[in-house]
Amino acid sequence: MRRFTALFGLALSLQSSLVAAVVEPKPETEPTPEPTAPPAPAPAAARSRVLPTAAAVVPGLVLHGSGQLALGENTTAKNLILMEGAGLGLFLTGGLTVVFTGASRYFVAPAATFAIAGFGLFSTSYLVDIYGSAATDQGAVPSHLRAVARWETEVGYRRIQDPEFAYRDFLVERVSRQLGPLRLNPSGWFSLRGDTARYRLESQYRLLGNIDEPRPRDVSFLDVTLGFVHQRHSPEHFTKSSAELSLDARYDLARLGPTLRGAFVELGAGYAIGRIDYNLQGLTVPHDIEHLLLGRVGFGVALRGQSAPGSDVLVYYDHRHDDYVAGLKLTGIPSGIAGHFGLLARWFFSESVGVALDAQAGSAYLAGASLLFRAPSRPAPHEAAP
Amino acid sequence: MRHRHGFATFAFVALSCLRPTEERVERDLAVGQAEQAGVSVNVQDGLAVVRSLTPDELVLWGSAPGFELSLSGPSARDLNIEVQNCLPDADLRVKSGDAQLSAADSTDVPTRKRWQLHVGSGVVRLALSAPGAAGTQPFRFALLSDIQEAIIRVADIYDLLNAQPDVSFVLGAGDLTSHGTRDQLERFQAELLRLKIPYFATLGNHELGTHPDLFHDYFGRGNFHFRFHGVAFTLLDDGSASLDPTVYDWLDGWLTEARRDVHIVAMHIPPIDPIGVRNGSWASRDEAAKLLARLAEGRVDLTLYGHIHSYYSFTNAGITAFISGGGGAIPERFDHIGRHFMVFDVDAKKGVTAQSVVRVDPGD
């Protein structure tokens, strides 16, 4: 019941579910594992994972949670089925509202947000079932979780293939600094040809979730993000500047069942307003104002094995159309509506050094890698004890 | 895990493509060219589709008020020429070559005209134009887009268009059909018989539903440029929420040619949706800005769009813009517009002097 409440909250309001999850104490008599206490998945892990994984993949296409049912994790399966249903419900509610209102200006923003969130919950419930059915090392997850670094820097290379623009090669730099609940992320993307650059200043304020605990047992959070972007395209004679505000959340899926430990879902929604300035010699051209619905859903997994804590991989959908990768171009009717998909993997070799792999597909293809440097985390109390 | 992530990456990369319009651009280049039994036809700039070519007959579908074509064959022959979707007062004349042309029996359809051509061997150049089309007299044209499934009740729109005084032609900014099937394109063509003026259209995303290759066979190029009474018109195929890189090269030439003239550009999807959170616009906002900068640099006077089933008046890059998707497809609710089309008054010396919205269902 406790997990059902959390899932219901996730579907309707991630914030409220997070509040409930963080504030409400767990009854000691609750038979399901505490999210703050790593479960012992040994009995499930001892069983063969072939059948559950196959069940998660094939019948799981229709009934998300089939893998968990095959594994005997009935409560987890029920939660995933509910998650699938909530996702489908949100997607249909949003999608049908868009269709039947003719994408009315008065309804399209909330309807599209519902559709994106629904797509995220629906697809994640499928992926996480496969994960929970195939993975056997969930017990190693707690030792591979880590608080956000007090500071982190990134320098890397990205290759962008976009037939509409001549740029290809980019130097990417980012600095991240945690100041209490506030995180500042200035970053820059610089075309090596010098024809375009993108500067972004992002600040995130953590409303809910861990900041200080060096070895968190739950990676859920809720952030409010304020961002400013400036982008110039010299050969095409325009610059863009925008401001954006969004709510971004991560939900630790261990809350739905012990076999899902190490997986998480991300949801974000917001709004951006931008200004396009045209820089044409000898012409005075009025600027344009553009508006943007922000929406992001992702499914991630904390990496284990040889990786240092804080390593993870995330596949995501990002609805934004104003960056280098923008929206999917398709051959049929729906071209241009959807945003882009991406994969971001962060692998730390040690407490301080790691790499990030970045791949995105939208109106352009992007691939690249970065070197990551971060401040070592403070040792957890039990690690610091002599 | 690595395999699953690899598959996911492959799946979404395969889902998208960077140049979805590339094949359509190639089809653009083939429009207006045909060869049959030693007779070859080449319509300049692809401004008409060769619907039929036999040793005795040539049938063309016009995409513009006027165009030139060349015919060549090994021997003298008589050829019946029919031009469909042409101005009611359009006339065909011989520009060069060994040929005699005479008017044939008229059809019952004002936009279909026939001629009989006796042509010798060698190359013959013909030109279709309406009287005064090369001048700069003011004229009117209409804009009608996004008919889609409402083709079943488009007749009353055509009747209202026929009742508009002095409208020379209708410009279509795409989505003539709901899925671009052969049956739907045939139906659209059949309904056009009711319209007394030609309908020059580019395609929309709904023409790409099942048979993206058929539009060109019926109605010609997606990207083309023509002149009428001294005013330049450019229609672009952005049905995939983007322009093909090759089209930018064509556009540069058209913009340069018409830089000092009144220039009207139409396409289906607006590069920037005035209601940006809806994103009824291009896939990439950066590419949208790139196009608008070019249109502004080319001193375009008017941009016309469809795709959004409502009416919007705004500016982009300082250029007057209208979205008019009032052909009857599922309307944007609560906008109090309903089915409609627009009428523009244009003067080659003064620009666009007036525009109006004609509502088909005033009670909506």
Side-chain angles (χ1 to χ4, degrees):
Chain A
M1 189 62 198
R2 168 67 182 70
R3 273 178 273 159
F4 172 79
T5 305
L7 178 64
F8 186 68
L10 173 67
L12 295 180
S13 162
L14 188 60
Q15 181 176 1
S16 63
S17 75
L18 281 169
V19 169
V22 170
V23 175
E24 291 177 15
K26 273 184 170 289
E28 290 184 0
T29 54
E30 174 66 47
T32 53
E34 283 278 345
T36 54
R47 292 173 227 150
S48 167
R49 295 307 184 106
V50 175
L51 180 64
T53 305
V57 172
V58 184
L61 277 172
V62 178
L63 187 67
H64 300 180
S66 298
Q68 297 302 302
L69 282 174
L71 204 57
E73 296 286 334
N74 294 341
T75 306
T76 308
K78 185 183 76 176
N79 286 338
L80 291 183
I81 292 168
L82 287 170
M83 190 173 171
E84 177 190 16
L88 196 59
L90 279 172
F91 182 79
L92 290 177
T93 301
L96 292 176
T97 300
V98 170
V99 170
F100 287 110
T101 64
S104 165
R105 67 200 79 178
Y106 305 112
F107 293 95
V108 72
T113 303
F114 271 40
I116 294 166
F119 166 73
L121 292 178
F122 183 82
S123 55
T124 299
S125 58
Y126 175 67
L127 293 173
V128 76
D129 187 25
I130 297 172
Y131 163 81
S133 302
T136 57
D137 60 345
Q138 288 91 333
V141 169
S143 63
H144 282 78
L145 300 182
R146 182 193 195 279
V148 291
R150 284 177 288 113
W151 60 260
E152 182 178 300
T153 64
E154 172 181 356
V155 59
Y157 167 81
R158 298 290 186 278
R159 171 84 175 178
I160 297 178
Q161 186 70 33
D162 187 338
E164 307 293 353
F165 294 93
Y167 53 68
R168 291 288 176 272
D169 306 294
F170 283 79
L171 173 70
V172 175
E173 294 177 286
R174 179 179 63 85
V175 177
S176 184
R177 179 76 171 102
Q178 189 77 33
L179 300 164
L182 182 68
R183 188 164 191 84
L184 296 174
N185 291 296
S187 63
W189 287 51
F190 307 96
S191 165
L192 298 184
R193 292 163 54 113
D195 48 359
T196 181
R198 179 182 172 92
Y199 308 90
R200 179 179 174 86
L201 176 59
E202 181 183 279
S203 59
Q204 292 164 320
Y205 187 86
R206 180 138 302 179
L207 300 173
L208 294 168
N210 176 64
I211 300 169
D212 298 321
E213 176 61 44
R215 291 283 180 266
R217 284 166 289 189
D218 187 305
V219 296
S220 303
F221 63 74
L222 177 67
D223 289 350
V224 58
T225 302
L226 177 66
F228 300 94
V229 179
H230 179 75
Q231 190 171 323
R232 64 172 167 81
H233 286 262
S234 302
E236 289 79 21
H237 308 295
F238 70 88
T239 58
K240 293 170 45 175
S241 306
S242 62
E244 63 191 62
L245 186 66
S246 63
L247 276 175
D248 299 285
R250 174 180 287 190
Y251 188 82
D252 193 327
L253 289 168
R255 293 167 181 263
L256 302 186
T259 51
L260 310 185
R261 179 165 294 283
F264 55 86
V265 58
E266 289 193 351
L267 291 172
Y271 165 78
I273 184 167
R275 171 183 168 132
I276 305 170
D277 287 290
Y278 302 97
N279 313 309
L280 297 166
Q281 197 168 13
L283 289 176
T284 303
V285 178
H287 66 265
D288 282 326
I289 297 293
E290 63 172 356
H291 308 267
L292 201 72
L293 178 69
L294 303 178
R296 186 179 162 100
V297 294
F299 167 67
V301 171
L303 296 176
R304 282 88 82 173
Q306 300 302 311
S307 63
S311 303
D312 54 28
V313 61
L314 176 74
V315 289
Y316 62 89
Y317 166 78
D318 192 332
H319 193 62
R320 69 184 316 146
H321 290 66
D322 66 336
D323 57 7
Y324 287 125
V325 182
L328 285 170
K329 291 195 282 194
L330 306 171
T331 51
I333 290 176
S335 188
I337 296 171
H340 57 270
F341 289 89
L343 183 150
L344 180 63
R346 290 158 52 88
W347 178 285
F348 283 92
F349 304 108
S350 68
E351 185 56 32
S352 300
V353 181
V355 294
L357 301 176
D358 186 5
Q360 299 175 39
S363 61
Y365 296 154
L366 177 152
S370 294
L371 274 175
L372 303 173
F373 303 92
R374 64 182 178 183
S377 65
R378 288 176 286 111
H382 68 276
E383 293 172 340
Chain B
M1 284 299 291
R2 275 201 302 270
H3 292 304
R4 282 209 301 277
H5 292 314
F7 176 76
T9 306
F10 172 79
F12 65 66
V13 167
L15 187 71
S16 68
C17 48
L18 300 185
R19 290 185 66 180
T21 56
E22 186 174 16
E23 191 178 328
R24 302 207 296 276
V25 165
E26 289 168 9
R27 292 184 68 81
D28 271 2
L29 293 171
V31 168
Q33 298 177 40
E35 189 166 350
Q36 176 71 32
V39 178
S40 67
V41 179
N42 188 347
V43 180
Q44 191 175 328
D45 300 324
L47 291 179
V49 188
V50 179
R51 285 288 190 85
S52 165
L53 176 62
T54 67
D56 305 319
E57 187 182 52
L58 169 65
V59 180
L60 301 170
W61 179 277
S63 297
F67 51 84
E68 293 186 12
L69 67 150
S70 60
L71 285 167
S72 61
S75 59
R77 69 185 64 220
D78 289 322
L79 192 65
N80 294 315
I81 299 178
E82 178 174 321
V83 180
Q84 302 176 347
N85 199 45
C86 67
L87 294 171
D89 56 350
D91 198 17
L92 193 65
R93 60 190 172 84
V94 178
K95 283 197 78 176
S96 65
D98 176 16
Q100 291 86 44
L101 195 64
S102 58
D105 296 340
S106 62
T107 69
D108 296 334
V109 181
T111 55
R112 295 189 173 185
K113 304 199 74 172
R114 290 178 183 153
W115 293 268
Q116 202 160 40
L117 182 72
H118 177 76
V119 59
S121 60
V123 178
V124 173
R125 294 188 63 79
L126 305 172
L128 181 88
S129 63
T136 56
Q137 301 92 329
F139 66 98
R140 307 180 87 193
F141 75 93
L143 173 71
L144 172 66
S145 309
D146 295 273
I147 297 165
Q148 295 184 21
E149 69 280 358
I151 189 72
I152 56 174
R153 55 189 184 121
V154 77
D156 54 352
I157 299 182
Y158 290 163
D159 289 344
L160 205 51
L161 274 164
N162 289 334
Q164 301 300 309
D166 304 322
V167 173
S168 297
F169 58 84
V170 182
L171 213 59
D175 277 9
L176 320 180
T177 64
S178 57
H179 287 88
T181 64
R182 188 175 294 281
D183 286 349
Q184 291 171 353
L185 292 166
E186 289 279 357
R187 174 70 187 269
F188 184 83
Q189 178 182 263
E191 293 290 342
L192 273 184
L193 296 175
R194 194 181 185 99
L195 191 60
K196 295 177 179 172
I197 49 178
Y199 187 101
F200 304 128
T202 185
L203 55 86
N205 58 316
H206 276 264
E207 270 67 67
L208 310 175
T210 53
H211 296 85
D213 52 337
L214 281 181
F215 179 90
H216 291 72
D217 293 344
Y218 278 84
F219 304 122
R221 293 181 62 146
N223 303 282
F224 57 102
H225 175 82
F226 64 85
R227 282 181 170 271
F228 187 70
H229 287 214
V231 174
F233 286 83
T234 297
L235 281 85
L236 300 172
D237 168 10
D238 73 338
S240 296
S242 172
L243 287 186
D244 193 81
T246 304
V247 176
Y248 281 101
D249 295 336
W250 297 347
L251 180 63
D252 284 344
W254 295 332
L255 290 170
T256 302
E257 179 211 313
R259 188 175 167 83
R260 295 177 184 281
D261 304 323
V262 175
H263 193 173
I264 296 166
V265 175
M267 66 196 86
H268 181 61
I269 301 178
I272 296 177
D273 183 350
I275 309 298
V277 294
R278 171 171 51 201
N279 205 59
S281 55
W282 281 18
S284 164
R285 300 287 176 94
D286 287 356
E287 192 196 342
K290 168 185 160 178
L291 172 76
L292 292 174
R294 290 195 185 200
L295 298 184
E297 190 173 24
R299 306 195 182 205
V300 167
D301 298 87
L302 177 65
T303 45
L304 302 174
Y305 310 113
H307 192 53
I308 296 165
H309 305 161
S310 185
Y311 166 79
Y312 291 84
S313 169
F314 60 109
T315 62
N316 43 200
I319 305 166
T320 301
F322 294 99
I323 293 172
S324 175
I330 297 174
E332 181 183 335
R333 307 290 178 190
F334 317 112
D335 64 351
H336 308 294
I337 298 293
R339 289 193 301 165
H340 69 277
F341 57 85
M342 294 190 72
V343 175
F344 296 88
D345 290 2
V346 191
D347 186 324
K349 294 169 184 161
K350 297 176 183 172
V352 179
T353 54
Q355 66 275 326
S356 59
V357 178
V358 180
R359 297 181 64 177
V360 180
D361 308 306
D364 280 2

